[in-house]
Amino acid sequence: EVEHNPALGEMIASLPGRKHIFTNGDVRHAENTLRALGIEPIFDSMFDIVAADFEPKPARGPYEKFLNAHVVHPKEAAMFEDMPRNLEVPKELGMTTVLIIPRSGTEFAGEAWEIAGADDNYIDHVTDHIDDFLADVLSAINAK
């Protein structure tokens, strides 16, 4: 279940640069998730499984298609993801990687393979609270 959190959208909107959604789902699913979160239309684009020619992450092809389609420079980009294995290629391409793990004290309802690799060297940052993580990022940016 998705928790209503419009403040998350406000923080994302406050970050510098363009914002894209890159999902193994489809655009409709992403839009439904954003609506459930209470996030306004703040994203520049949505790159879904259809745009990836039905080749899902973690395959390298979809990442390259996404980067080329949206002229994203990997060394100037960050990838936020909830599955460690989906961050390996972005790190190889030069992106900063952020793994979002289940919150402390909550029960994880997925499979073990979904979180395997959380401590691998291609993970730059790990957070179980995206709001706090983004608040820290915004504070660091504003302090400059």
Side-chain angles (χ1 to χ4, degrees):
E1 185 172 310
V2 175
E3 185 178 315
H4 192 73
N5 187 358
L8 175 60
E10 293 169 15
M11 285 189 279
I12 293 169
S14 297
L15 293 169
R18 296 177 292 145
K19 290 104 183 138
H20 304 278
I21 291 179
F22 179 5
T23 179
N24 276 348
D26 63 14
V27 167
R28 182 179 303 201
H29 176 73
E31 290 171 342
N32 289 341
T33 302
L34 291 173
R35 194 173 307 109
L37 285 165
I39 294 179
E40 298 296 321
I42 57 170
F43 292 91
D44 295 280
S45 73
M46 292 190 198
F47 186 90
D48 68 353
I49 193 69
V50 177
D53 295 326
F54 297 96
E55 182 181 22
K57 299 180 280 185
R60 189 178 191 93
Y63 294 97
E64 291 173 347
K65 285 177 187 150
F66 166 76
L67 294 171
N68 290 330
H70 299 290
V71 193
V72 173
H73 304 287
K75 290 182 179 16
E76 299 171 9
M79 179 78 171
F80 290 73
E81 172 67 52
D82 63 353
M83 294 179 71
R85 70 188 194 142
N86 289 346
L87 290 171
E88 190 168 2
V89 171
K91 185 64 183 174
E92 289 171 4
L93 293 168
M95 292 180 164
T96 297
T97 58
V98 182
L99 177 64
I100 304 164
I101 59 172
R103 256 194 212 153
S104 251
T106 62
E107 188 175 320
F108 177 66
E111 301 290 329
W113 64 265
E114 292 180 271
I115 57 171
D119 56 356
D120 285 347
N121 62 357
Y122 55 85
I123 308 289
D124 294 316
H125 305 281
V126 178
T127 183
D128 72 345
H129 201 288
I130 188 71
D131 298 54
D132 289 348
F133 181 85
L134 292 179
D136 290 346
V137 168
L138 289 167
S139 289
I141 291 169
N142 292 331
K144 289 183 180 180

